[in-house]
Amino acid sequence: MEIQSLEQLQAADRTSLAFTPHGLGRMEPGDAARFQQSQIASCKLSTDVPERTRGAFEELTKLFAQGVLCYSLYTRVQDDAMLRLEGALRDRFVQWCGGSVTFEDVAGTLPPYSADVTTPQAVSDACKRLPRGSRERSPKWRLRVGGQLIFFNGMLSSLMRWARCAGLLRGQRARHVEFRLVERRNSVAHGDSHIDTPVAAARALRDLAEFINQLWGHPTPGGRLYPAQVPREVAVLAWDGAGSISLGSPESVAAGEGTEGYSHVVVRSASAPGMVVEDSHWMEFDTRFETTQYPTEHLWGPVSRSEALAWLDAERPQGDSIEFLDRVFMVRSTGGQVYPPMRPEVAAGLDSALRQGAWHTVRADFPLDAFNHVRGGMDPSSKHTNRPGDCPACAVQELGRGSHTAALGAAEAALGTLSPVRPPTVHVPESLHWPIRF
């Protein structure tokens, strides 16, 4: 190798300087160093993450900061971020075990096998030392997690499956990402040759921070993979017969003019004015169907402007925060037509005439995911599956299908006993985005 001087080693890599806040260009070395570090400044691990995992993550952040001096370090950071997934899972598994792990024979012919595990290496050793049984019969050892037996060999795929079954990971869309992360990690481990950008490396670090924090029970506010609960505020939807629709705060409705004669509905919404989260489907609010991206709660209306203001003044409703991942929806299809998803409580309160047709009970993060899954399953050539379990084609888990009674039973198996809800029929007349209008 060529021996370089200290000045040469400290010189900025011109390729790294090309990545700016506005796209490709050229930055001064000092500005580039500050900018790149700002891209991962929000990557902080929770205080209860073990030191081993925390130290490995901090090494990656330091390496990323040095990418301004050597562009190839960004590829190193992204690759190592994939490798750190398994280390974090192993550390969390050791904590979850509480000092020992027990495997069961699926056939039940052999007694359970237990081993002490206090380190990640002990977990691997326990998996390798499972009794092999006799020549006539080899036992199928499985790990019991969350009431089910899963294959577990201590490697990344089985660790990811364990974390899902143990309820440590959330979200149906994240489930698909986790599958890709395993594929990506395996490619890296087998010497895949590639070059990555600072943008990809920064996202890999942010995703890794979200993944680790979620393993220890800490969702990320505004996160890409494992977001925290979304905040909602009280807002007022107003529309007239000519297609004019607005969403305003109670204060703006009280101070504004020109909405006399409009229909007013008071809701609790994630897209209230001033909120960070934007729900592009707020104009499609419907009390019967889940047509907004985030849960929108009907509070009062439709009434006149003066009646809405009087109710707000008397009741003074407050905002809240709500979980939106892994929601359970019921979707009806009949005569080749698919209806928008419903909350199971609303589906339980339907009249008998509206219970006809085929029903699907699915777990999804967003209503459109559930809708597209059912609609895709109607195409024989699609990869969507109606079998119970995770759909390989989309971010949905099929819980049950069949008649209204069967689908409702699947919903109750997932949520517990449901109390039927009969909301007032309220829907904004202009539906702009749904594939089917009702």
Side-chain angles (χ1 to χ4, degrees):
M1 59 172 287
E2 179 184 355
I3 303 299
Q4 296 180 312
S5 66
L6 180 61
E7 289 75 14
Q8 289 175 312
L9 293 173
Q10 292 174 333
D13 190 316
R14 288 181 59 83
T15 306
S16 298
L17 302 181
F19 289 83
T20 79
H22 307 291
L24 296 179
R26 189 69 63 186
M27 298 181 71
E28 292 297 322
D31 295 334
R34 285 188 292 272
F35 167 67
Q36 293 299 348
Q37 291 179 80
S38 71
Q39 300 306 293
I40 61 170
S42 62
C43 296
K44 301 182 185 301
L45 299 186
S46 177
T47 55
D48 53 354
V49 174
E51 186 58 36
R52 167 189 158 100
T53 300
R54 181 186 304 280
F57 181 80
E58 289 177 353
E59 286 181 8
L60 290 182
T61 61
K62 294 176 182 178
L63 199 62
F64 180 88
Q66 297 173 29
V68 173
L69 305 179
C70 179
Y71 185 79
S72 62
L73 288 180
Y74 293 123
T75 302
R76 169 78 179 277
V77 167
Q78 178 159 4
D79 289 352
D80 281 4
M82 297 298 101
L83 299 176
R84 300 300 184 190
L85 290 171
E86 189 166 356
L89 282 163
R90 286 177 182 271
D91 285 344
R92 187 66 182 93
F93 183 81
V94 170
Q95 285 190 351
W96 179 82
C97 287
S100 67
V101 61
T102 300
F103 293 88
E104 300 179 25
D105 178 22
V106 173
T109 57
L110 294 179
Y113 173 80
S114 298
D116 294 333
V117 290
T118 56
T119 65
Q121 184 59 46
V123 174
S124 298
D125 293 341
C127 294
K128 294 175 182 177
R129 294 172 182 169
L130 289 171
R132 297 182 179 275
S134 63
R135 179 176 299 180
E136 292 75 19
R137 183 186 175 281
S138 178
K140 293 183 178 180
W141 296 106
R142 297 292 184 265
L143 180 69
R144 184 171 294 279
V145 184
Q148 57 181 312
L149 293 172
I150 66 169
F151 172 78
F152 185 83
N153 62 359
M155 304 304 287
L156 180 58
S157 294
S158 63
L159 283 165
M160 199 75 81
R161 188 183 307 111
W162 155 77
R164 273 280 158 182
C165 293
L168 301 179
L169 298 177
R170 310 156 44 244
Q172 294 302 306
R173 290 191 175 185
R175 173 175 59 82
H176 266 232
V177 175
E178 291 156 13
F179 177 76
R180 300 303 176 193
L181 289 176
V182 172
E183 288 186 332
R184 175 65 177 148
R185 178 266 182 197
N186 291 338
S187 295
V188 170
H190 290 87
D192 177 35
S193 179
H194 61 283
I195 298 176
D196 284 314
T197 67
V199 178
R203 186 171 70 173
L205 281 180
R206 290 193 293 267
D207 288 351
L208 179 60
E210 278 196 51
F211 183 85
I212 294 173
N213 283 329
Q214 179 59 49
L215 281 179
W216 272 268
H218 302 283
T220 302
R224 187 178 84 94
L225 299 181
Y226 308 102
Q229 292 185 343
V230 64
R232 301 189 301 183
E233 293 293 342
V234 175
V236 180
L237 267 168
W239 66 87
D240 64 2
S244 177
I245 307 171
S246 66
L247 180 69
S249 65
E251 294 76 16
S252 66
V253 174
E257 298 291 341
T259 59
E260 292 297 341
Y262 281 48
S263 296
H264 292 73
V265 174
V266 183
V267 296
R268 196 174 275 122
S269 170
S271 287
M275 302 293 289
V276 176
V277 176
E278 180 180 356
D279 188 337
S280 58
H281 296 271
W282 64 265
M283 288 184 291
E284 300 160 30
F285 173 68
D286 192 311
T287 53
R288 302 162 301 167
F289 302 110
E290 294 299 292
T291 50
T292 56
Q293 186 175 13
Y294 300 100
T296 301
E297 181 183 358
H298 171 264
L299 298 177
W300 189 249
V303 292
S304 66
R305 175 174 174 269
S306 58
E307 290 173 317
L309 293 175
W311 185 87
L312 286 165
D313 185 61
E315 300 296 329
R316 299 188 180 278
Q318 301 298 314
D320 64 2
S321 295
I322 191 168
E323 177 65 73
F324 65 93
L325 298 183
D326 291 319
R327 285 179 278 170
V328 175
F329 300 100
M330 288 181 61
V331 186
R332 176 193 180 203
S333 63
T334 179
Q337 187 177 47
V338 181
Y339 287 79
M342 283 184 168
R343 288 187 295 125
E345 297 86 352
V346 175
L350 292 175
D351 295 332
S352 58
L354 298 177
R355 298 186 178 194
Q356 305 304 311
W359 287 83
H360 294 254
T361 301
V362 298
R363 192 189 305 276
D365 295 340
F366 299 102
L368 266 177
D369 293 346
F371 177 87
N372 289 330
H373 167 76
V374 175
R375 185 175 61 174
M378 299 175 70
D379 181 0
S381 64
S382 76
K383 295 181 180 180
H384 293 263
T385 176
N386 292 325
R387 296 188 301 271
D390 298 335
C391 178
C394 60
V396 161
Q397 183 183 39
E398 181 93 23
L399 301 178
R401 65 186 298 265
S403 65
H404 178 273
T405 301
L408 193 61
E412 290 189 323
L415 301 173
T417 303
L418 298 172
S419 299
V421 173
R422 292 177 176 267
T425 302
V426 178
H427 63 93
V428 177
E430 292 294 327
S431 180
L432 304 179
H433 301 289
W434 273 94
I436 300 178
R437 299 175 60 178
F438 298 93

